[in-house]
Amino acid sequence: MTSHTLLRIAALAILASPLAAQAGDASKAISLAGNLCASCHGEDGNSAIPNFPKLAGQQAVYLLRELKDYKSGKRQNEVMGPLVSGLADEDLANLAAFYASQKPAPGTVTEPSLLPVGKTLYLKGNSASDIPSCESCHEVDGSGSGKFPRVAGQNVEYLLEQFRLYAAGKRNNGTRVMRTIAERMSEKETRAVSEYMASMP
């Protein structure tokens, strides 16, 4: 069995694991989102700042996990950590529900010439370097599922930074699968698949 196959099995096993999301109330987070999050992520979660993630339409389970990881320090970020440190778990769940309910805006492609390469990587992976397809976890349309985030329409620079953090071992929350994939991808492959993700509606 190849390591490519093992990575796919590991990813699918995580996808099938029970989800322990705390249901949030989006209506209770409107004020909090506007006061605390909008300056970086936009009023509706569609950040216009390239290195900040779009949150609109993101999976609520994923958002809640990330917010809790920022709060606990499992995911390190000098801005997000202090920002959520004083919030109750109920607040985090409400924020996750709020952004999940927002309509995602189309992404911006910066290097269209890389889209064919990115599409192939996203849908088929690269068997030569044991890189599995992205759609195995993030769905064919990039919408994500449960703990696996929506990547469709995401900001390219944000995606690139996450690949770099995974490859360098500096993003330790989430799955080992992503670190392994990021370590195996070339700079061109990382850019290409990020561009393709951004192009997805």
Side-chain angles (χ1 to χ4, degrees):
M1 185 179 292
T2 67
S3 56
H4 184 149
T5 303
L6 288 171
L7 280 174
R8 289 177 63 90
I9 291 173
L12 290 172
I14 295 168
L15 181 61
S17 65
L19 302 178
Q22 176 184 341
D25 185 339
S27 66
K28 292 182 179 179
I30 296 174
S31 177
L32 183 60
N35 293 329
L36 197 66
C37 315
S39 60
C40 292
H41 298 289
E43 292 288 342
D44 60 354
N46 286 295
S47 178
I49 305 173
N51 57 324
F52 289 125
K54 292 182 178 180
L55 305 179
Q58 186 56 271
Q59 295 289 326
V61 173
Y62 171 77
L63 283 173
L64 180 56
R65 185 191 71 188
E66 297 306 298
L67 287 169
K68 286 185 173 181
D69 284 353
Y70 279 129
K71 183 178 178 179
S72 70
K74 188 175 181 180
R75 182 174 177 181
Q76 295 288 318
N77 184 278
E78 60 185 13
V79 175
M80 286 299 301
L83 205 61
V84 301
S85 62
L87 298 181
D89 285 352
E90 181 181 358
D91 293 325
L92 302 183
N94 292 341
L95 282 170
F98 171 77
Y99 285 113
S101 71
Q102 302 303 299
K103 183 178 180 180
T108 301
V109 174
T110 57
E111 294 189 39
S113 63
L114 292 176
L115 290 177
V117 175
K119 182 177 182 179
T120 298
L121 282 167
Y122 187 90
L123 297 176
K124 299 180 179 179
N126 183 348
S127 59
S129 48
D130 283 332
I131 298 172
S133 68
C134 306
E135 58 89 17
S136 300
C137 295
H138 299 283
E139 304 295 332
V140 173
D141 62 357
S143 61
S145 178
K147 293 182 180 180
F148 295 107
R150 174 186 177 87
V151 292
Q154 189 55 270
N155 288 328
V156 172
E157 291 305 317
Y158 172 75
L159 290 169
L160 288 171
E161 179 61 14
Q162 299 316 298
F163 276 116
R164 294 186 192 109
L165 291 173
Y166 275 123
K170 294 181 178 179
R171 181 171 173 180
N172 297 313
N173 74 323
T175 71
R176 169 67 193 180
V177 173
M178 273 307 304
R179 180 174 177 179
T180 302
I181 292 170
E183 289 172 342
R184 293 176 180 176
M185 292 178 74
S186 68
E187 186 175 342
K188 180 181 178 180
E189 287 176 325
T190 301
R191 167 68 70 170
V193 81
S194 296
E195 295 284 356
Y196 180 70
M197 289 175 180
S199 77
M200 302 170 81

